[in-house]
Amino acid sequence: MAELPIRFVAFAAILVTTTLARAGDIEPVRYDLAFRRQGAALETVEVRATARLNRDGVIDFAVPSWQVTDVHALAGSLDTSTPGRWRLRGQPGSEVAFAWRSQPAALTRILPWDVSQSVLVRPDAIAASTNVLFALPDGPEDRPVDVHWSAPDGWMVSTSISQGIQKVARLGGGTFLAAREARTSTRRVGTATVTITALDGARDVERIADALAHAVADVVPPPTRHDYTFNIIDFDGKSPGLSMTTSPFGGTVYLTPGVPDDAWLPWLLAAATLPGQTPGDPATAWYAEGFATYRTVSELFAKGYLPPVAFARMIDQAATGYGNSPFRRAPQGQVEDSFARSRDMRELPANRGLLFAALLDARIRAATGGRKTLLDALARMGSPAAPGPALIDAVAAIGAGDIAPLYRRYIVEGQLLQLPRDTLGPCFTVGTVADWSGWQVQHVFAKRSCELRGAAVASP
């Protein structure tokens, strides 16, 4: 079996949210998970969603998975004719409901290519990324949802979501596992809890939990620590296979015994140490999301948690997302105007901001002879309401010159941001690839000759 690509629902993009309405203006969508069994064996998982219609008499949901079966209306009418969309209609103000089921339980232990996009159902377990398990309603990602389940007696549940009211954003990239038997390890880091659970296999959950807790304690300031849950699902396979999703709340990795922990653990550490998800503001998303991500992965690299190749692939993810965006030249005014209506636009500011942070970090190091970094400027800023002017003042205050022209060019005007080849320091190189039409996308590579020796290698 060929090695599977790692799928990430993490870092810059996962922090993006919308502010179409205040959460208190919308009644929560209720979800009920039911475990349908034949005797002691799980046969399928059923999800029911109940919502009250607004004055338009309609609510749209994103289809959670192409493997969904038996989708049907319980109250109101259901239209499934639009690919990727389920639409419920009814009288304005009325309650509508519909349900769907997973594929039937199967005993297969071979890792399929689309496992991270599917609900794994076995007679003794169910596992899924929450964005695959749930159909999410269109609209603001701070919309309240009310989630409930009742696992079979004696089963354990390991999930990044909670029973009861929470924001729909939590359902967008978390993890859910329920099993008759699994191994779990939990650590407390101040007020936060990190939990690692393994279904089958021989993964050392105690060692992994220790590593995760240590990184959180070392990198994340106490006020911004948050709970994190990660589930490990082992499959059979003659050759290494790996498929992974992560978010700031939790994640899932599906892998074969031949895959070492080092192949995925760095991404877990980065996801768990990112700031928790909060409602986004299109005016400041470039800073609140992009700079937060760059600061986190840079600190993890500097402190030895990330090898160069992992750091490079994380920055490459943002560079690729930005380079392929149809809005990569959109000025800030257009970003704010279209943010709520376009998913592509909602993903742009975080990626643009991360690359701008990398550009400024390199400039500050060059201007100060390596004595100062972007982190020194950010430490002076606190939580500014207007991060652009505050950033300009902070960089000037540490002796790194006037960055106002750069800020105006890349953030305000939205000109194409291309990183110089040596932006990230001696361990990395930035390359630019152009297709037949001249469209250019940048990629980040770690140099094979560069080895990370603890914290001795400076952050990029």
Side-chain angles (χ1 to χ4, degrees):
M1 178 179 61
E3 182 176 357
L4 300 180
I6 302 175
R7 295 178 49 84
F8 298 106
V9 187
F11 314 125
I14 197 63
L15 297 176
V16 176
T17 56
T18 62
T19 53
L20 298 177
R22 291 181 291 115
D25 294 337
I26 308 175
E27 289 195 28
V29 175
R30 178 178 173 119
Y31 293 94
D32 291 278
L33 273 66
F35 299 78
R36 305 302 183 191
R37 293 187 295 167
Q38 179 65 41
L42 180 65
E43 287 195 324
T44 187
V45 176
E46 182 179 86
V47 185
R48 174 183 298 195
T50 305
R52 188 166 299 279
L53 296 177
N54 59 20
R55 56 190 170 193
D56 297 328
V58 62
I59 182 172
D60 287 339
F61 290 80
V63 176
S65 171
W66 65 271
Q67 289 192 328
V68 164
T69 64
D70 192 27
V71 55
H72 60 281
L74 301 171
S77 64
L78 176 65
D79 180 0
T80 61
S81 62
T82 302
R85 278 285 179 271
W86 290 336
R87 171 165 288 183
L88 278 168
R89 292 189 175 92
Q91 292 296 319
S94 66
E95 189 173 84
V96 292
F98 71 123
W100 61 94
R101 291 190 174 193
S102 68
Q103 290 288 322
L107 293 173
T108 179
R109 293 280 301 149
I110 302 300
L111 185 65
W113 70 269
D114 62 341
V115 65
S116 65
Q117 305 170 57
S118 308
V119 178
L120 169 69
V121 184
R122 301 187 338 205
D124 63 338
I126 172 256
S129 296
T130 50
N131 57 298
V132 174
L133 186 60
F134 296 97
L136 303 185
D138 280 356
E141 293 188 13
D142 60 349
R143 176 177 188 149
V145 293
D146 189 13
V147 183
H148 297 271
W149 66 82
S150 179
D153 289 343
W155 283 39
M156 68 161 296
V157 174
S158 176
T159 180
S160 58
I161 62 176
S162 59
Q163 297 252 28
I165 298 292
Q166 57 215 286
K167 295 176 182 177
V168 72
R170 269 200 177 267
L171 306 187
T175 185
F176 188 93
L177 181 148
R180 190 179 299 146
E181 294 182 5
R183 293 172 292 109
T184 190
S185 181
T186 299
R187 299 288 185 275
R188 295 285 296 179
V189 186
T191 59
T193 300
V194 296
T195 302
I196 302 294
T197 300
L199 179 67
D200 304 329
R203 303 288 166 174
D204 188 345
V205 294
E206 300 293 336
R207 185 186 68 82
I208 297 169
D210 284 340
L212 184 59
H214 189 275
V216 171
D218 195 20
V219 174
V220 185
T224 57
R225 292 173 186 166
H226 53 86
D227 294 347
Y228 196 84
T229 300
F230 194 78
N231 294 318
I232 305 168
I233 317 297
D234 272 286
F235 279 81
D236 295 333
K238 294 182 179 179
S239 60
L242 169 65
S243 188
M244 180 178 180
T245 60
T246 59
S247 83
F249 300 118
T252 312
V253 62
Y254 304 87
L255 72 176
T256 56
V259 176
D261 291 340
D262 290 346
W264 54 271
L265 189 55
W267 281 266
L268 168 59
L269 297 178
T273 51
L274 283 171
Q277 194 166 7
T278 56
D281 180 352
T284 59
W286 64 270
Y287 176 80
E289 299 165 10
F291 272 60
T293 302
Y294 182 76
R295 174 165 49 185
T296 297
V297 297
S298 295
E299 191 168 0
L300 287 170
F301 174 65
K303 293 184 175 181
Y305 292 103
L306 298 182
V309 66
F311 177 83
R313 290 175 70 178
M314 290 172 189
I315 305 301
D316 180 79
Q317 180 176 316
T320 302
Y322 171 80
N324 286 327
S325 173
F327 299 111
R328 63 183 187 168
R329 294 181 186 267
Q332 180 63 21
Q334 183 183 352
V335 171
E336 295 177 26
D337 181 64
S338 304
F339 191 82
R341 299 191 301 272
S342 169
R343 179 171 295 276
D344 284 331
M345 189 64 88
R346 293 199 297 272
E347 293 177 354
L348 174 70
N351 290 329
R352 175 188 280 171
L354 185 148
L355 299 180
F356 187 55
L359 185 71
L360 289 187
D361 199 8
R363 178 190 172 96
I364 292 169
R365 291 174 187 276
T368 64
R371 296 186 302 275
K372 299 290 184 180
T373 72
L374 178 64
L375 297 182
D376 294 301
L378 298 180
R380 303 177 66 93
M381 294 176 57
S383 301
L391 180 63
I392 293 169
D393 291 343
V395 172
I398 62 171
D402 181 15
I403 65 162
L406 292 177
Y407 168 72
R408 185 166 50 253
R409 183 184 310 155
Y410 295 123
I411 301 300
V412 178
E413 298 175 1
Q415 294 185 34
L416 183 64
L417 198 165
Q418 298 269 267
L419 295 177
R421 187 176 182 85
D422 59 351
T423 296
L424 298 171
C427 285
F428 308 95
T429 185
V430 180
T432 303
V433 178
D435 65 12
W436 62 270
S437 67
W439 188 274
Q440 294 183 336
V441 177
Q442 291 196 300
H443 294 285
V444 179
F445 308 92
K447 296 180 179 179
R448 293 184 179 180
S449 60
C450 183
E451 296 181 359
L452 182 64
R453 297 180 177 89
V457 177
S459 69

